[in-house]
Amino acid sequence: MNRILRYFVVVFFIVAVVAAAYSFYTDKKNAAILSKELENTIPYQKLYDALLTARTAELVSEGTVLKPDILLVDEKGDTVALGELNDSIDVFFCYYRTHCSSCIDRHLTFISENLKKASLKVAILSDFSSAKDMSVVKSLNGLICPVYKMDVRLGIPADSLELPYFFSVESGRDGLCARNVFVPMLEAPSLPEVFLGTLNGRKVENKIT
Protein backbone atom coordinates (compact mmCIF):
# COMPACT_ATOMS: atom_id res chain seq x y z
CA MET A 1 0.00 0.00 0.00
CA ASN A 2 2.77 2.39 0.92
CA ARG A 3 4.54 1.56 -2.35
CA ILE A 4 1.41 2.38 -4.32
CA LEU A 5 0.98 5.62 -2.42
CA ARG A 6 4.59 6.59 -3.04
CA TYR A 7 4.13 5.75 -6.73
CA PHE A 8 1.13 8.08 -7.01
CA VAL A 9 2.97 10.84 -5.15
CA VAL A 10 5.94 10.57 -7.52
CA VAL A 11 3.66 10.57 -10.59
CA PHE A 12 1.72 13.55 -9.26
CA PHE A 13 4.97 15.43 -8.60
CA ILE A 14 6.26 14.74 -12.13
CA VAL A 15 2.98 15.85 -13.71
CA ALA A 16 2.97 19.03 -11.60
CA VAL A 17 6.54 19.87 -12.60
CA VAL A 18 5.82 19.27 -16.29
CA ALA A 19 2.65 21.37 -16.11
CA ALA A 20 4.47 24.20 -14.35
CA ALA A 21 7.31 24.07 -16.86
CA TYR A 22 4.88 24.10 -19.80
CA SER A 23 2.94 26.97 -18.25
CA PHE A 24 6.17 28.93 -17.72
CA TYR A 25 7.29 28.25 -21.30
CA THR A 26 3.89 29.24 -22.69
CA ASP A 27 3.77 32.45 -20.66
CA LYS A 28 7.33 33.30 -21.68
CA LYS A 29 6.54 32.57 -25.33
CA ASN A 30 3.39 34.70 -25.20
CA ALA A 31 5.32 37.48 -23.51
CA ALA A 32 7.96 37.31 -26.26
CA ILE A 33 5.28 37.46 -28.95
CA LEU A 34 3.59 40.39 -27.24
CA SER A 35 6.93 42.16 -26.85
CA LYS A 36 7.65 41.68 -30.56
CA GLU A 37 4.23 43.02 -31.50
CA LEU A 38 4.80 46.08 -29.33
CA GLU A 39 8.20 46.66 -30.95
CA ASN A 40 6.55 46.57 -34.36
CA THR A 41 3.78 48.91 -33.23
CA ILE A 42 5.96 51.60 -31.62
CA PRO A 43 7.55 52.86 -34.89
CA TYR A 44 4.09 53.27 -36.43
CA GLN A 45 2.94 55.16 -33.36
CA LYS A 46 5.98 57.44 -33.55
CA LEU A 47 5.33 58.04 -37.25
CA TYR A 48 1.67 58.81 -36.56
CA ASP A 49 2.53 61.23 -33.75
CA ALA A 50 5.20 62.97 -35.86
CA LEU A 51 2.92 63.38 -38.86
CA LEU A 52 0.04 64.59 -36.71
CA THR A 53 2.26 67.21 -35.09
CA ALA A 54 3.71 68.36 -38.41
CA ARG A 55 0.42 68.46 -40.32
CA THR A 56 -1.28 70.41 -37.53
CA ALA A 57 1.51 73.03 -37.54
CA GLU A 58 1.33 73.28 -41.33
CA LEU A 59 -2.42 73.86 -41.38
CA VAL A 60 -2.21 76.51 -38.67
CA SER A 61 0.73 78.20 -40.43
CA GLU A 62 -0.82 78.29 -43.90
CA GLY A 63 -1.73 81.84 -44.89
CA THR A 64 0.09 83.47 -41.96
CA VAL A 65 0.59 87.18 -42.65
CA LEU A 66 4.32 87.86 -42.41
CA LYS A 67 5.88 90.90 -40.79
CA PRO A 68 6.45 93.60 -43.40
CA ASP A 69 9.78 94.63 -41.87
CA ILE A 70 11.56 91.28 -42.25
CA LEU A 71 14.97 92.12 -43.69
CA LEU A 72 17.48 89.58 -44.90
CA VAL A 73 21.23 89.90 -45.38
CA ASP A 74 23.06 87.94 -48.08
CA GLU A 75 26.65 86.69 -48.09
CA LYS A 76 27.93 89.98 -49.50
CA GLY A 77 26.31 91.96 -46.69
CA ASP A 78 23.58 93.42 -48.89
CA THR A 79 20.14 93.83 -47.36
CA VAL A 80 16.94 92.75 -49.07
CA ALA A 81 13.33 92.55 -47.91
CA LEU A 82 11.69 89.13 -47.86
CA GLY A 83 8.92 90.42 -50.14
CA GLU A 84 11.44 91.39 -52.80
CA LEU A 85 12.34 87.73 -53.27
CA ASN A 86 8.74 86.75 -53.94
CA ASP A 87 9.21 86.49 -57.71
CA SER A 88 12.73 85.07 -57.74
CA ILE A 89 12.49 82.34 -55.07
CA ASP A 90 10.00 79.45 -55.29
CA VAL A 91 10.53 77.98 -51.84
CA PHE A 92 12.45 78.89 -48.70
CA PHE A 93 14.03 76.48 -46.22
CA CYS A 94 14.04 78.08 -42.78
CA TYR A 95 15.89 76.94 -39.69
CA TYR A 96 17.40 78.39 -36.53
CA ARG A 97 20.51 77.40 -34.62
CA THR A 98 18.34 76.12 -31.76
CA HIS A 99 16.65 73.59 -34.04
CA CYS A 100 17.39 69.86 -34.19
CA SER A 101 20.94 69.71 -35.63
CA SER A 102 20.54 66.26 -37.19
CA CYS A 103 17.32 67.45 -38.86
CA ILE A 104 19.10 70.50 -40.30
CA ASP A 105 21.98 68.41 -41.65
CA ARG A 106 19.64 65.83 -43.15
CA HIS A 107 17.48 68.39 -44.94
CA LEU A 108 20.38 70.52 -46.20
CA THR A 109 21.89 67.38 -47.71
CA PHE A 110 18.53 66.60 -49.28
CA ILE A 111 18.32 70.08 -50.79
CA SER A 112 21.85 69.83 -52.16
CA GLU A 113 21.20 66.44 -53.76
CA ASN A 114 17.76 67.21 -55.19
CA LEU A 115 18.00 70.86 -56.20
CA LYS A 116 19.64 70.02 -59.51
CA LYS A 117 16.82 67.63 -60.41
CA ALA A 118 14.10 70.25 -60.04
CA SER A 119 13.61 73.61 -61.67
CA LEU A 120 12.71 75.17 -58.32
CA LYS A 121 14.67 78.09 -56.97
CA VAL A 122 15.37 77.50 -53.29
CA ALA A 123 16.84 79.88 -50.69
CA ILE A 124 18.07 79.13 -47.18
CA LEU A 125 17.03 81.37 -44.28
CA SER A 126 18.65 81.15 -40.86
CA ASP A 127 19.93 83.18 -37.94
CA PHE A 128 23.53 82.89 -39.14
CA SER A 129 26.05 84.52 -36.83
CA SER A 130 28.17 85.94 -39.66
CA ALA A 131 28.90 85.93 -43.39
CA LYS A 132 31.64 83.37 -42.72
CA ASP A 133 29.09 81.09 -41.07
CA MET A 134 26.93 81.34 -44.19
CA SER A 135 29.85 80.41 -46.46
CA VAL A 136 30.79 77.46 -44.26
CA VAL A 137 27.24 76.07 -44.36
CA LYS A 138 27.15 76.36 -48.15
CA SER A 139 30.57 74.76 -48.55
CA LEU A 140 29.99 71.86 -46.14
CA ASN A 141 26.66 70.96 -47.71
CA GLY A 142 27.58 71.63 -51.33
CA LEU A 143 24.78 74.19 -51.70
CA ILE A 144 24.48 76.27 -54.86
CA CYS A 145 21.39 78.16 -53.70
CA PRO A 146 21.49 81.58 -52.01
CA VAL A 147 21.55 81.82 -48.21
CA TYR A 148 20.28 84.71 -46.13
CA LYS A 149 20.71 85.79 -42.55
CA MET A 150 17.67 87.01 -40.63
CA ASP A 151 17.72 88.78 -37.29
CA VAL A 152 14.07 88.17 -36.31
CA ARG A 153 11.85 85.13 -36.40
CA LEU A 154 9.27 85.00 -39.16
CA GLY A 155 6.34 84.62 -36.79
CA ILE A 156 5.01 81.51 -38.54
CA PRO A 157 3.29 79.12 -36.06
CA ALA A 158 5.51 76.27 -37.30
CA ASP A 159 8.38 78.05 -35.49
CA SER A 160 7.01 76.70 -32.21
CA LEU A 161 7.99 73.14 -33.16
CA GLU A 162 11.67 74.11 -33.09
CA LEU A 163 12.13 72.15 -36.32
CA PRO A 164 13.25 73.27 -39.80
CA TYR A 165 10.51 73.86 -42.37
CA PHE A 166 9.83 74.87 -45.97
CA PHE A 167 7.48 77.63 -47.10
CA SER A 168 6.67 79.88 -50.04
CA VAL A 169 5.81 83.56 -50.04
CA GLU A 170 2.77 85.03 -51.73
CA SER A 171 1.40 88.55 -51.94
CA GLY A 172 -2.24 88.78 -50.89
CA ARG A 173 -4.87 91.29 -49.83
CA ASP A 174 -3.45 91.37 -46.31
CA GLY A 175 0.15 91.66 -47.46
CA LEU A 176 2.86 89.03 -47.56
CA CYS A 177 1.60 85.53 -46.68
CA ALA A 178 3.21 82.18 -45.99
CA ARG A 179 2.08 79.41 -48.32
CA ASN A 180 2.94 75.74 -48.87
CA VAL A 181 4.26 75.39 -45.33
CA PHE A 182 5.85 71.96 -44.94
CA VAL A 183 7.59 70.55 -41.86
CA PRO A 184 9.76 67.56 -42.89
CA MET A 185 10.09 64.83 -40.28
CA LEU A 186 12.94 62.35 -39.92
CA GLU A 187 10.35 59.63 -39.34
CA ALA A 188 9.04 60.11 -42.92
CA PRO A 189 12.18 60.63 -45.06
CA SER A 190 10.39 60.29 -48.42
CA LEU A 191 7.98 63.21 -47.92
CA PRO A 192 10.41 66.09 -48.70
CA GLU A 193 10.93 64.67 -52.18
CA VAL A 194 7.17 64.43 -52.66
CA PHE A 195 6.78 68.02 -51.45
CA LEU A 196 9.40 69.50 -53.79
CA GLY A 197 8.15 67.31 -56.62
CA THR A 198 4.62 68.65 -56.15
CA LEU A 199 5.81 72.27 -56.14
CA ASN A 200 7.95 71.61 -59.19
CA GLY A 201 4.96 70.09 -60.99
CA ARG A 202 2.82 73.12 -60.21
CA LYS A 203 5.51 75.44 -61.51
CA VAL A 204 5.74 73.53 -64.78
CA GLU A 205 1.94 73.55 -65.16
CA ASN A 206 1.79 77.32 -64.52
CA LYS A 207 4.40 77.90 -67.21
CA ILE A 208 2.38 75.88 -69.72
CA THR A 209 -0.87 77.67 -68.93
Side-chain angles (χ1 to χ4, degrees):
M1 184 68 179
N2 289 337
R3 291 179 60 187
I4 296 175
L5 181 61
R6 284 199 299 269
Y7 172 79
F8 278 111
V9 169
V10 170
V11 170
F12 176 79
F13 177 76
I14 293 174
V15 171
V17 169
V18 171
Y22 178 77
S23 176
F24 174 77
Y25 170 76
T26 303
D27 290 343
K28 192 173 182 180
K29 186 177 180 181
N30 289 339
I33 293 173
L34 180 61
S35 177
K36 190 66 177 178
E37 289 178 349
L38 287 174
E39 286 179 7
N40 293 333
T41 302
I42 288 172
Y44 290 106
Q45 184 63 45
K46 286 184 177 180
L47 175 61
Y48 173 80
D49 292 341
L51 292 178
L52 179 62
T53 299
R55 297 300 85 86
T56 301
E58 291 162 4
L59 288 172
V60 174
S61 300
E62 190 69 19
T64 299
V65 178
L66 301 171
K67 300 174 183 177
D69 59 344
I70 295 178
L71 297 178
L72 309 173
V73 180
D74 63 18
E75 296 171 84
K76 299 177 181 178
D78 297 328
T79 301
V80 59
L82 180 62
E84 295 177 40
L85 301 175
N86 187 16
D87 296 327
S88 59
I89 300 297
D90 298 308
V91 60
F92 295 91
F93 177 66
C94 175
Y95 73 89
Y96 303 96
R97 284 174 288 176
T98 57
H99 284 176
C100 162
S101 58
S102 60
C103 301
I104 295 171
D105 293 339
R106 173 76 172 268
H107 302 321
L108 287 178
T109 299
F110 167 78
I111 291 172
S112 175
E113 293 175 349
N114 290 271
L115 196 57
K116 298 175 183 178
K117 303 176 186 177
S119 59
L120 294 172
K121 295 177 181 177
V122 180
I124 310 296
L125 303 182
S126 186
D127 54 345
F128 295 106
S129 58
S130 64
K132 182 179 179 181
D133 188 20
M134 298 162 75
S135 298
V136 169
V137 168
K138 287 191 69 172
S139 178
L140 288 177
N141 295 281
L143 296 171
I144 58 174
C145 58
V147 296
Y148 295 93
K149 174 181 181 292
M150 53 185 179
D151 294 323
V152 296
R153 292 218 171 194
L154 298 175
I156 296 177
D159 282 339
S160 63
L161 295 183
E162 290 297 324
L163 293 169
Y165 60 90
F166 292 91
F167 74 99
S168 299
V169 170
E170 182 181 291
S171 295
R173 289 185 306 171
D174 300 322
L176 211 59
C177 296
R179 297 293 183 190
N180 304 310
V181 180
F182 171 66
V183 183
M185 308 297 283
L186 294 180
E187 293 84 354
S190 62
L191 290 186
E193 187 171 356
V194 174
F195 169 72
L196 289 185
T198 301
L199 287 187
N200 192 54
R202 290 179 188 171
K203 183 178 180 180
V204 172
E205 288 178 2
N206 291 335
K207 281 185 176 180
I208 295 176
T209 56

